[in-house]
Amino acid sequence: MKKILIIGLIGLIGSMAVVQGQQPDAVYKLLRYEWTMNSDGTSDYHYRHEVQILRNRALVAYADKGETFVVYNPDLEEVTVNEVYTIQKDGTRVNMPQNAFVYQLPSQCTDCGRFNHMRELAMVHTGMELGCTIVVDYTIHRQYNFIYESIPLQRDCPVEKLEVLVNSNHNDMEVKYAIDGFQYLNPDDVTSSESGNADEGATSLHYTFTNLQQAPNEPYMPVDYLPTMRLFNGTPEFVPAFDNARFSGAQDVMSQIAGRGSKRDKATAIRDFVVDNIHLNDIPPAHLGYTHATAEQVWLTGCGTATDKAVLVAALLNDEGFEARVLGDNMDEVGVMFDTLEYRMSVRNKAPMYLYGKAEDEVAACDIKESREARLDTLEDGFYRLKLDPLDGAPNINAKRLALYRTTTLHSTLCDIKSNISYTLPKGLKMVAAAQNRKLDFEGVGSVEISIKQSGNKVRVVRNLKLDKGDIEVSDYSAYRQLIALWQSVDSVLLRQK
């Protein structure tokens, strides 16, 4: 009887866990984004959200549910709070008291004098309980009428209704738009209306999206996997300034960090220096009127937005003889040409380069067969580590981040890497592990071969990787995961004195 009771309790707890796991932490009843273009060259951005709190985790694990933060630029923007209140489960409306509005310097604007004028309005919501609905409604009046926005249509919790509206008070202000990842939406849940010339752009626009699912949270998803709506009313004036920009005011530093290694090593070293030494002020470009600092300003002040840092990296690379340009939907990446292929790299971190644009459809080929002197790290007790040289063309995927199962497409790159390198060792050293020769081959997905053997004072390392698909569907994920795991399992060889 006790066994039956225990089993029953375990089953009940398990079923409750499943149900609870299916329940989201919160749900957006409404998200509304509205832009109004005024005839005097100004614009108004109106934002509203109504979010219902379903689980306590929504308040303790999310930074934007229990509080709302509005960053603005007093030189260009004026914020008006229309209404902020909480509707409790019993219908009681709790208006936010005046002392719950806090004006402060945004955390992303610290350590940079150029942004000390920026402000952030923090609204600390009151009257919260499970089942309550938080309503936030505000307007930002701007001294310009550019739109260059990306609106993610899936969030960290489900969205019952999301609206995007653009209104123009004069007929010559046409707005163009695109919806990336539309194939992942249910067409029956999308309605729209617009006026104006469909070929040239709309003077008014109203899109409504309903029943939007919670965004998946898996690494290495394709860029367009999460549906996103993009709005723009012509190319902002700052974009042409990116082209062929150069900055020669840092030649002394550049000669030290980029004076050795391959061209890719030099380009990466320049990017890494900027990541490490130029403070990132992560301010959305809209609050700066879609302008950016010059490379010289960023260098001299030691700080800047992600776009500012991208401008500096591209300018430094161009001055060193590279062909580089600012890229990315948020203008926070740099594209660099190597031979006929363009690689992209982030300026936010030191993530490796990866193929971009049309180059993604080409096979990143690497064919090496040569002898090299071994680079050794000295360890304790007479051991040494032979560091294997990195190989160009491998996908920018960390095998440790690949879970056992996956529900979304994984974005990788095509490649065909063949490396056969003989490393010459100092006399008296031998491999600790036995020789190895491991192979994996999955038809239609790819293959990998790792071979390490010692003969005399030479260690021959063969590393071959071939990937036949750029986008890995769920059905091929297990095979791909095994290939990448084996490929990344060896980056050095342990040696010791004979």
Side-chain angles (χ1 to χ4, degrees), residues 201-319:
T203 54
S204 69
L205 183 72
H206 187 176
Y207 258 82
T208 301
F209 305 86
T210 57
N211 303 317
L212 296 170
Q213 299 299 309
Q214 181 171 321
N217 185 22
E218 294 181 313
Y220 312 117
M221 291 189 298
V223 175
D224 64 348
Y225 195 89
L226 296 181
T228 302
M229 188 169 188
R230 309 192 187 282
L231 298 172
F232 51 100
N233 59 347
T235 303
E237 295 177 352
F238 75 109
V239 172
F242 290 149
D243 297 338
N244 300 318
R246 296 176 181 273
F247 176 58
S248 57
Q251 290 180 344
D252 291 343
V253 176
M254 291 300 102
S255 63
Q256 296 177 28
I257 66 174
R260 60 184 184 276
S262 66
K263 291 187 65 176
R264 285 190 62 179
D265 290 339
K266 293 179 182 178
T268 301
I270 291 173
R271 186 280 309 269
D272 290 352
F273 180 87
V274 172
V275 169
D276 289 337
N277 295 278
I278 303 297
H279 180 75
L280 174 62
N281 303 94
D282 207 4
I283 306 169
H287 299 307
L288 300 175
Y290 300 103
T291 62
H292 67 82
T294 65
E296 183 178 16
Q297 288 174 316
V298 180
W299 180 261
L300 293 177
T301 58
C303 57
T305 66
T307 301
D308 293 342
K309 295 183 71 167
V311 169
L312 175 60
V313 171
L316 291 171
L317 288 171
N318 286 329
D319 192 64

